[in-house]
């Protein structure tokens, strides 16, 4: 994982996952948003495994873009629901999700940077998780 940008309040990190790789816990359990940008098709099992790892590591907002973005959003939603959290923890650990199929890269990046804080969450670390490398993106 490498830092790709920062300002006075936030830092942005990039991690590229190759086929079969799992994302390492990002920020030691600190809540964060993730932009999952898929550059290749993946199996439902791989999507689910990655989504579960993200949510277990503290991800509280998953923005999905690229290939199969709606399926990535569904995987994140399932991963949250499958935790079967009791009511007090459900709200505290709630995970927002969005998918952005066919939208311009700049619009998706703007949304990720400016619209992923919610409730009491004022994130300071942001993860861009690329599923497969793509230098154009």
């Amino acid at each position: 994982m490498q830092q790709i940008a920062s300002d006075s309040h936030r830092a942005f990190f990039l991690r590229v996952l190759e086929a079969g790789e799992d994302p390492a816990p990002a920020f030691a359990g600190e809540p964060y948003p993730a932009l999952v940008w898929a550059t290749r098709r993946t199996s439902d099992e791989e999507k689910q495994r990655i989504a579960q790892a993200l949510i277990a590591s503290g991800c509280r907002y998953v923005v999905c873009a690229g290939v199969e973005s709606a399926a990535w959003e569904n995987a994140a939603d399932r991963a949250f629901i499958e935790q079967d959290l009791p009511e007090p923890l459900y709200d505290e650990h709630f995970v927002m999700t969005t998918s952005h199929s066919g939208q311009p890269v700049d619009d998706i990046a703007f949304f990720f940077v400016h619209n992923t804080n919610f409730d009491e969450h004022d994130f300071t670390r942001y993860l861009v998780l690329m599923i497969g490398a793509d230098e154009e993106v």
Side-chain angles (χ1 to χ4, degrees), residues 49-67:
R49 184 174 43 79
I50 292 169
Q52 288 168 340
L54 284 172
I55 290 169
S57 73
C59 184
R60 294 293 173 261
Y61 203 125
V62 183
V63 177
C64 305
V67 178

Side-chain angles (χ1 to χ4, degrees), residues 11-66:
F12 298 85
F13 297 85
L14 173 66
R15 171 84 198 275
V16 178
L17 283 186
E18 295 303 334
E21 246 186 304
D22 284 325
F27 306 116
E30 177 185 332
Y32 66 94
L35 169 56
V36 176
W37 197 294
T39 66
R40 59 178 173 80
R41 293 191 175 285
T42 57
S43 68
D44 290 342
E45 294 78 19
E46 184 175 9
K47 284 182 195 70
Q48 201 60 41
R49 184 174 43 79
I50 292 169
Q52 288 168 340
L54 284 172
I55 290 169
S57 73
C59 184
R60 294 293 173 261
Y61 203 125
V62 183
V63 177
C64 305

Side-chain angles (χ1 to χ4, degrees), residues 32-34 59-63 95-98 111 115-116 118 123:
Y32 66 94
C59 184
R60 294 293 173 261
Y61 203 125
V62 183
V63 177
V95 177
M96 299 285 290
T97 63
T98 59
F111 180 89
N115 295 301
T116 52
F118 66 99
F123 301 114

Side-chain angles (χ1 to χ4, degrees), residues 24-132:
F27 306 116
E30 177 185 332
Y32 66 94
L35 169 56
V36 176
W37 197 294
T39 66
R40 59 178 173 80
R41 293 191 175 285
T42 57
S43 68
D44 290 342
E45 294 78 19
E46 184 175 9
K47 284 182 195 70
Q48 201 60 41
R49 184 174 43 79
I50 292 169
Q52 288 168 340
L54 284 172
I55 290 169
S57 73
C59 184
R60 294 293 173 261
Y61 203 125
V62 183
V63 177
C64 305
V67 178
E68 304 176 308
S69 61
W72 278 101
E73 182 181 15
N74 290 337
D77 288 339
R78 271 193 313 276
F80 171 72
I81 291 167
E82 287 173 354
Q83 295 178 100
D84 197 26
L85 297 171
E87 187 57 43
L89 293 177
Y90 184 90
D91 290 338
E92 182 181 330
H93 294 278
F94 189 76
V95 177
M96 299 285 290
T97 63
T98 59
S99 63
H100 301 265
S101 179
Q103 295 179 11
V105 173
D106 288 347
D107 290 354
I108 297 165
F110 183 90
F111 180 89
F112 178 60
V113 170
H114 296 287
N115 295 301
T116 52
N117 287 322
F118 66 99
D119 293 339
E120 73 284 347
H121 294 296
D122 187 18
F123 301 114
T124 59
R125 296 179 188 208
Y126 292 67
L127 176 64
V128 176
L129 182 65
M130 295 214 42
I131 310 301

